[in-house]
Amino acid sequence: MSAPRQLSLNAFIYPSGHHEAAWRHPDSRPDRIYDVSYYQEIGRTAEAAKLDAVFFADGPALRTDVRHNAAPGLEPITLLTAIAAATTHLGLIATASTTYYEPYNLARLFSSLDHISGGRAGWNIVTTGTDLAAANFGLERHPDHAERYARAREFVDAVVGLWDSWEDDAIVLDRAAGVYADPDKIHPIDFVGEHLSVRGPFNSARTPQGRPVLVQAGASNEGRAFAGKYAEAIFTAHQRLSDAQSFYADIKSKAAEFGRTADEVKILPGISPFIADTEAAALRLEREFNELTVPEYGLKQLESITGTSLRGLALDEPVPVEVFAGAGDVTDNARSRLQVVAGIVERERPTLRGLLHRLAGARGHRVFAGTPEQVADTIEEWFTQGAADGFNVMPPYYPGGLEVFAETVVPILQERGLFRTEYTGTTLRDHFGLARPESQFTRNAALAG
């Protein structure tokens, strides 16, 4: 009999916490967000709880209103090498842009992280959504959505080709004969596309995982098609079980169109839990954070997420439903996060202040306030009802929000048989239940033979 299906759980690290006012709360540590030992401590907390990985978002521009919030500033791939040194099993996922890197350089960064960590690296593939980045790279404009995804497809093909260009047995290490490697098993990739060309071969051997895990977070139509072909794990945002189920079914279907099985792609929605001994206490904790928000910051965030300004409304006026008309739905949506916000407005009819509070917790990801049992219940429901393969856990505040999740929710999930009590492998692929891929050049040689 096959082993029972297990949850995947990642800790999404956002320096002070995912609530926009976390840095103002006494339980957060904004004074330590440039201190590497702070992140190493968070990594050790995640590993002690047997979580699959830690994950860092990133972008090549200053998007945060630093007047009202702490700016996450450390480059994540570099930072993850420090966390790798402080842990032994924990997966290490970093965001990097296909628009503002070049394939060879990015391939080297993640290959090095995978070697340094013993096979724990993952690349969160993004195309970068902000036009603020273009000027930082001497460009006159930010490429449009379709152009970015066209480049991204070529970019990933080139990077994977570079990672595969050394076959697994290319290193001979024959001291007596003076042969270190077999050049016939090291291949140029000769990649030529409309946007990119990369000759290769790579200047480093295959990594312990074969290649780092490919992660993706786009939920637009182009993003879903891209995920169906390439992604091995997908981070997504949903407020309702039914929307998450529709997205889950759509992605699994798209993967099948590319000849992949459902198990080859893990879907991991975000959840930001306020946890306390009673539901009432958890709700009070959430209100405590919301009362620390600065409306001006929330309005800027809303404009960033949706492209829509509500500055003409008083804070206690209802948000007109028609403001978000035409946002699309979960099955046909070119503006994924806008659709999440539109759904909140349509279902809940909040005031502007209420909407800003709803989004303050995790930028459109699901915020849940309850007891450890209630948090475990909602995780189990989504996991068992075809909505998720696991979750990207987004603590409202760090480090305590992760600590309370690890100490109270994880043991419940373990007792229910839904989550590991010990690591059964050493690589991120092991944790996610993903096979180690064969080099395409080895495969091609076998087919030709």
Side-chain angles (χ1 to χ4, degrees):
M1 294 179 63
S2 60
R5 183 166 166 257
Q6 294 275 291
L7 280 161
S8 292
L9 295 173
N10 302 320
F12 183 165
I13 300 180
Y14 207 77
S16 295
H18 284 273
H19 193 284
E20 67 186 45
W23 73 276
R24 300 183 66 191
H25 196 275
D27 288 342
S28 69
R29 293 301 307 270
D31 56 309
R32 296 191 65 196
I33 65 174
Y34 291 93
D35 175 359
V36 68
S37 66
Y38 172 67
Y39 298 98
Q40 290 175 320
E41 291 164 13
I42 290 172
R44 284 192 286 264
T45 297
E47 183 163 88
K50 313 304 179 190
L51 300 193
D52 294 61
V54 290
F55 163 67
F56 282 91
D58 191 50
L62 179 62
R63 297 184 67 181
T64 299
D65 172 9
V66 293
R67 179 178 178 84
H68 300 300
N69 203 348
L74 293 179
E75 193 282 312
I77 306 173
T78 306
L79 180 55
L80 285 172
T81 63
I83 297 177
T87 56
T88 57
H89 288 73
L90 186 69
L92 308 161
I93 303 171
T95 298
S97 173
T98 58
T99 304
Y100 295 106
Y101 272 100
E102 291 298 326
Y104 205 97
N105 289 339
L106 184 138
R108 293 193 72 198
L109 289 168
F110 279 101
S111 172
S112 295
L113 178 60
D114 208 45
H115 279 294
I116 289 167
S117 66
R120 296 186 276 145
W123 169 28
N124 181 42
I125 305 162
V126 299
T127 67
T128 303
T130 175
D131 58 6
L132 296 174
N136 291 338
F137 293 84
L139 302 178
E140 293 183 359
R141 68 174 184 89
H142 185 55
D144 64 29
H145 192 79
E147 183 181 350
R148 295 199 311 273
Y149 269 97
R151 175 184 165 93
R153 286 186 284 272
E154 293 184 9
F155 195 108
V156 175
D157 286 338
V159 167
V160 170
L162 289 169
W163 286 336
D164 282 356
S165 65
W166 288 53
E167 296 183 47
D168 282 314
D169 57 352
I171 296 179
V172 177
L173 204 60
D174 185 340
R175 289 186 174 95
V179 176
Y180 174 76
D182 181 351
D184 291 337
K185 295 190 175 184
I186 301 171
H187 307 274
I189 65 170
D190 293 323
F191 181 89
V192 179
E194 182 181 350
H195 301 273
L196 297 165
S197 62
V198 182
R199 182 180 183 278
F202 203 36
N203 62 352
S204 179
R206 284 198 101 207
T207 71
Q209 294 190 105
R211 51 181 180 255
V213 174
L214 300 180
V215 182
Q216 193 257 0
S220 66
N221 295 329
E222 291 92 340
R224 293 179 192 215
F226 184 89
K229 181 175 181 180
Y230 296 105
E232 296 171 295
I234 298 173
F235 299 155
T236 184
H238 298 291
Q239 295 288 322
R240 298 188 301 174
L241 176 66
S242 59
D243 290 342
Q245 289 170 324
S246 296
F247 180 86
Y248 187 96
D250 186 43
I251 292 296
K252 300 287 184 174
S253 173
K254 283 182 167 53
E257 292 173 8
F258 289 97
R260 305 172 67 199
T261 69
D263 290 338
E264 290 182 79
V265 54
K266 305 296 180 184
I267 298 177
L268 309 172
I271 184 170
S272 186
F274 286 93
I275 306 167
D277 291 339
T278 67
E279 182 178 357
L283 290 168
R284 281 197 302 272
L285 182 63
E286 182 182 11
R287 286 196 298 272
E288 186 178 311
F289 275 77
N290 284 342
E291 288 167 1
L292 294 173
T293 58
V294 177
E296 174 61 23
Y297 180 86
L299 287 166
K300 288 181 179 178
Q301 288 292 99
L302 179 65
E303 290 166 5
S304 175
I305 292 170
T306 68
T308 301
S309 174
L310 296 179
R311 291 175 181 272
L313 286 180
L315 286 172
D316 293 314
E317 281 188 71
V319 177
V321 176
E322 57 269 20
V323 169
F324 296 105
D329 60 39
V330 75
T331 58
D332 181 18
N333 175 33
R335 295 171 292 173
S336 55
R337 202 57 58 86
L338 172 62
Q339 189 273 328
V340 170
V341 176
I344 292 171
V345 172
E346 183 177 353
R347 291 189 303 273
E348 302 176 19
R349 305 300 171 96
T351 63
L352 177 56
R353 189 190 308 276
L355 179 60
L356 296 181
H357 285 173
R358 286 285 278 110
L359 299 177
R363 303 171 305 283
H365 289 273
R366 186 166 182 247
V367 177
F368 186 89
T371 66
E373 291 78 9
Q374 288 173 320
V375 175
D377 288 345
T378 194
I379 288 174
E380 181 174 6
E381 180 186 24
W382 284 43
F383 179 61
T384 58
Q385 298 301 312
D389 295 308
F391 285 86
N392 222 17
V393 181
M394 305 169 66
Y397 60 101
Y398 269 105
L402 178 62
E403 292 167 353
V404 71
F405 181 86
E407 293 167 4
T408 66
V409 178
V410 169
I412 295 171
L413 297 171
Q414 291 171 331
E415 289 168 7
R416 297 179 184 181
L418 299 172
F419 190 63
R420 68 176 69 85
T421 56
E422 295 293 339
Y423 290 109
T424 56
T426 60
T427 71
L428 181 55
R429 289 187 177 279
D430 291 334
H431 305 340
F432 280 166
L434 299 170
R436 185 182 189 275
E438 185 179 43
S439 165
Q440 59 193 269
F441 293 98
T442 302
R443 183 173 63 251
N444 292 343
L447 292 172

